[in-house]
Amino acid sequence: RGEDATIVMNKAVEFIDKQVKADKPFMAAIWYHHVHMPLRQNPEFAKLYPGHGTKETTYYSNVTALDSEIVRLRKHLRKLGIAEDTMLWFASDNGPLRKESTVLHTATVRGQKFVYSGLGSAGAYRGVKGELYEGGIRVPGILEWPAKIKKHRKTNVPCVTTDYVPTVLDALGIELPKDRAYDGISLMPLIEGKTNKRTEPIGFKCKGMTAWMTERYKLLRMAPREPWQLFDMQADPYETTDLSKTKPEVLKQMLAQWDVWAKSCEAECQAVWKKYPRGSGLPNDKTAKKPREKKPKTK
């Protein structure tokens, strides 16, 4: 019982303390339930937001609870004396839900006006959670690593959470296992200031939607039978102008790259399905049928 974000962090801190006491390196993935529905208002943090509607106050109190526990984690790492050599990554997993809000706000970004709600916002970016427009997939990403990153800096180089594994192994001097394909790349050259470009595209595939992104262009299809769209993310980050008809050569090149990636993904899926076939009865097999209970016959 208690504040959900605190309960989650209690478990993380307990694990970290145990590893530090044993003088062992560790990797902790800390996933919050905040700000997923249903939300319960935190009375303490709700007091910080007078004059807002109930939905907004509840949402803000949850975000603040999450933030307070990240503060607690950072302070605890310093207290343990391990903050310098710890890579601390922070990222949202997707854009906001499409929810009705009691309050709507207006703002202007780069000369473009937009309306947003108090229950999470992607700003002027198109789309929300569950879509592959930027509003659904472009999220905050932060890395704190005092031993390696001495000064605060920002980058416009596209990065993605599949970069975590190659980056961490590279930092540890461990070669990537060769028994699988990797979508991510090591960000160590970017972290060390040796490059300001991404060397490999980023791919997304979800519920019939597909996105394939280089540093400049983004290929997008929102459903299998819908036409492909092409956007120039440097000139048009809000995805307002489809260039698929005006830049056919770029479209052709992007489609060829995507086709290779898609076939690679399909091959890996087939390998997994072969190893864990449907109907195998394994715990992760959702198709396994439970035996039907026999009901006693009644006269």
Side-chain angles (χ1 to χ4, degrees):
R1 294 184 178 276
E3 166 54 48
D4 189 84
T6 302
I7 294 170
V8 172
M9 189 56 73
N10 284 347
K11 291 290 185 180
V13 168
E14 180 183 342
F15 166 72
I16 292 170
D17 286 346
K18 183 178 179 181
Q19 296 303 106
V20 172
K21 186 176 181 180
D23 196 25
K24 292 182 178 180
F26 65 90
M27 193 286 290
I30 305 171
W31 304 103
Y32 286 102
H33 302 119
H34 290 349
V35 287
H36 295 87
M37 307 299 285
L39 302 179
R40 292 185 64 187
Q41 191 173 114
N42 181 306
E44 178 187 353
F45 295 127
K47 295 176 183 177
L48 300 174
Y49 305 102
H52 293 277
T54 302
K55 289 184 178 180
E56 283 76 15
T57 302
T58 300
Y59 182 84
Y60 299 155
S61 73
N62 277 252
V63 173
T64 306
L66 187 155
D67 286 347
S68 69
E69 292 303 323
I70 293 296
V71 171
R72 175 185 166 198
L73 173 63
R74 295 178 70 226
K75 286 183 176 179
H76 195 70
L77 293 176
R78 283 157 176 73
K79 181 181 177 181
L80 294 173
I82 61 171
E84 281 286 314
D85 295 317
T86 299
M87 301 170 82
L88 179 59
W89 301 82
F90 181 92
S92 175
D93 58 349
N94 51 248
L97 278 169
R98 193 190 300 277
K99 288 289 180 181
E100 291 294 327
S101 175
T102 56
V103 181
L104 294 178
H105 311 276
T106 58
T108 302
V109 174
R110 299 180 186 176
Q112 181 170 331
K113 292 183 179 181
F114 66 97
V115 178
Y116 66 97
S117 79
L119 299 179
S121 171
Y125 292 107
R126 186 176 177 180
V128 291
K129 176 182 178 178
E131 297 179 345
L132 295 185
Y133 288 111
E134 292 299 281
I137 59 176
R138 183 185 289 224
V139 298
I142 302 171
L143 168 61
E144 181 181 45
W145 188 11
K148 203 73 175 179
I149 304 172
K150 304 295 184 182
K151 296 181 180 179
H152 296 178
R153 59 189 174 97
K154 297 179 181 180
T155 179
N156 291 321
V157 176
C159 303
V160 64
T161 48
T162 49
D163 295 334
Y164 285 166
V165 169
T167 302
V168 171
L169 294 189
D170 190 10
L172 294 171
I174 299 174
E175 190 174 341
L176 283 171
K178 300 185 184 300
D179 61 344
R180 70 201 72 178
Y182 296 89
D183 290 335
I185 62 172
S186 172
L187 298 178
M188 285 305 297
L190 176 64
I191 293 169
E192 294 172 338
K194 296 177 181 178
T195 185
N196 61 351
K197 293 184 180 295
R198 184 176 184 87
T199 57
E200 297 293 333
I202 296 173
F204 288 94
K205 199 163 186 267
C206 177
K207 297 179 181 178
M209 299 177 291
T210 296
W212 183 250
M213 306 159 63
T214 64
E215 193 153 354
R216 180 172 180 181
Y217 291 105
K218 177 178 177 180
L219 183 69
L220 176 68
R221 186 168 65 179
M222 293 299 290
R225 295 184 180 181
E226 287 190 9
W228 289 97
Q229 300 176 74
L230 180 68
F231 299 103
D232 185 334
M233 301 311 297
Q234 293 180 2
D236 179 28
Y238 305 122
E239 298 168 293
T240 61
T241 306
D242 179 10
L243 303 176
S244 59
K245 298 289 191 296
T246 57
K247 290 189 176 292
E249 290 302 316
V250 175
L251 179 66
K252 182 179 179 181
Q253 181 183 26
M254 297 280 286
L255 281 171
Q257 293 176 348
W258 169 82
D259 188 55
V260 172
W261 177 75
K263 287 178 179 177
S264 171
C265 291
E266 182 62 25
E268 289 206 3
C269 284
Q270 293 294 337
V272 171
W273 290 334
K274 186 177 180 180
K275 189 174 182 180
Y276 304 107
R278 293 192 173 198
S280 61
L282 294 171
N284 63 341
D285 180 16
K286 295 180 180 179
T287 67
K289 293 183 179 180
K290 295 180 179 179
R292 295 180 64 181
E293 294 183 5
K294 292 184 178 181
K295 295 182 179 180
K297 292 182 179 181
T298 57
K299 292 183 179 179

